[in-house]
Amino acid sequence: MLHLWLFLLPCLSLVTLSPAEKGLEFPQYDGKDRVLDINGKNYKRALKKHGMLCLFYHEPIPDNKEQQKKHQMTELVLELVAQVMEEKDVGFGMVDALKDAKVAKKLGLEEEGSVYVFKADRVIEFDGLLSANTLVEFLLDLLDEPVEVLENSLELKAFDRMEADIRLVGYFKSEESEHYEAFKEAAEHFQPYIKFFATFDRSVAKELTLKLNEVDFYEPFMEEPVTIPGKPHSEEELVDFINKHRRPTLRKLRAEDMFETWEDDIEGIHIVAFAEEEDPDGYEFLEILKEVARENTHIPNLSIIWIDPDDFPLLIPHWEKTFKLDLFRPQIGVINVTDADSVWMEMEDEEDLPTPQELEDWIEDVLSGKVNTEDDDDDEEDEDEDDDEEEDDEDEDENAEDDNEEEDEEEDDDDE
């Protein structure tokens, strides 16, 4: 889960740099231990005691001091989150992959370094950045109802602004409807990663152009939704449709599910676009990107990840060094998920962004294989070979000079 190029030490807490007014004091760890060491004797009791149980499944604690310090940092993050969520009936624990292997097997814990949340009969894997802020937000979303009800036009406006999220919305007769119950049960499978909305109001449904028991699926950044065929829908039908359509043509990298997104590559690569939404050039480039995505959303192998550098300020220097980029201007390229090797679209004039057609042509070259990260490897190999040849030539020249010097010395000796 923790790819090296994305790995970031957890942010423990926000420290107030100046005296804060009452009500703005950010929490800091109070020193009280709340995170349990989960083992065969206490795991059942912990599950029964809390409405939700959050477990960090970790590798055996190493002897290496650097790795031990990293483990301690993670533990402190969990302690702070446990402190903040104490009144929400959320429990926290750590499971050692070696010492507690039997418990891990019983609980279904598989990936070391992952956080698992137990809620009722569900197990949800947290696949985001392990920071206190991100984990608290994730858990609060899990505590919410899986379906949000839209009741008026103002709530519809808020719904329309959520263009970066996968959303489903359905129109049902009432909360007692069996079809709404199936919709709600389907929502629990994807909470909190996918947003589910429902309405029981005829006027709201009319604005959404929904018929009774109809469900629309909104892909991120697309102007029009897709109506799920057939109605009414069972829980299984909804889950199956979402699983088949949950990889969008264009999606935003978010802290709460960044590793899940990064693992969802196509044949080992990602098309990645960097653009600051608050920057004029970044905003313009993002609009071009949306247009291209909308025109080509029918292509199953087209999946673009948009990263707003402003969302990950601590990673900007790392990305610029790794990919040899200037992230103060928009960029789009292909990244190999195995070794972070990359190739980036060349923009002849730095002042002018590519047109939608130019961007579409470049994407076609990527999908056809004309643009790929292996080309960069070939160039590097050629450079290495040239360097080796230059070194060999230098060695030959040095050897020749040494031979000439020896011959001169021998001639001097003969003269003497």
Side-chain angles (χ1 to χ4, degrees), residues 176-351:
E176 286 71 39
S177 165
E178 62 177 311
H179 309 305
Y180 171 67
E181 189 61 32
F183 184 75
K184 190 175 180 180
E185 289 174 358
E188 292 176 351
H189 286 266
F190 303 99
Q191 188 189 14
Y193 294 116
I194 295 178
K195 312 297 183 185
F196 280 70
F197 298 85
T199 187
F200 312 115
D201 187 285
R202 184 179 299 178
S203 62
V204 173
K206 186 177 181 180
E207 288 192 54
L208 290 166
T209 66
L210 283 172
K211 298 177 181 178
L212 189 63
N213 296 325
E214 200 168 64
V215 176
D216 278 356
F217 178 90
Y218 286 76
E219 182 181 337
F221 306 109
M222 296 298 135
E223 292 179 332
E224 298 296 330
V226 174
T227 299
I228 300 179
K231 67 182 180 77
H233 308 283
S234 67
E235 174 189 349
E236 292 76 17
E237 289 169 341
L238 289 168
V239 170
D240 184 58
F241 182 90
I242 295 167
N243 283 330
K244 288 179 180 177
H245 296 82
R246 70 179 299 176
R247 180 196 283 138
T249 306
L250 175 62
R251 53 185 156 170
K252 185 179 183 181
L253 190 73
R254 305 177 300 183
E256 60 266 30
D257 58 359
M258 61 193 295
F259 297 110
E260 180 186 41
T261 299
W262 196 250
E263 288 173 355
D264 184 29
D265 57 81
I266 296 180
E267 297 182 354
I269 66 165
H270 279 303
I271 299 176
V272 174
F274 287 99
E276 296 180 29
E277 191 172 18
E278 298 298 323
D279 174 74
D281 284 342
Y283 179 82
E284 182 183 350
F285 184 72
L286 184 57
E287 291 302 305
I288 295 171
L289 204 59
K290 291 177 188 177
E291 182 180 338
V292 172
R294 289 164 185 159
E295 290 295 321
N296 296 276
T297 189
H298 60 282
I299 302 176
N301 287 335
L302 177 57
S303 179
I304 305 169
I305 295 177
W306 163 44
I307 301 178
D308 190 332
D310 286 343
D311 294 340
F312 304 94
L314 291 179
L315 281 173
I316 291 176
H318 174 70
W319 280 330
E320 289 186 328
K321 181 180 179 181
T322 301
F323 304 131
K324 300 177 178 61
L325 294 175
D326 174 13
L327 293 185
F328 285 99
R329 51 190 301 269
Q331 308 280 357
I332 186 168
V334 186
I335 297 177
N336 186 308
V337 299
T338 303
D339 56 12
D341 198 7
S342 62
V343 177
W344 299 87
M345 182 180 182
E346 293 184 8
M347 302 182 193
E348 295 181 2
D349 188 345
E350 293 188 0
E351 300 300 321

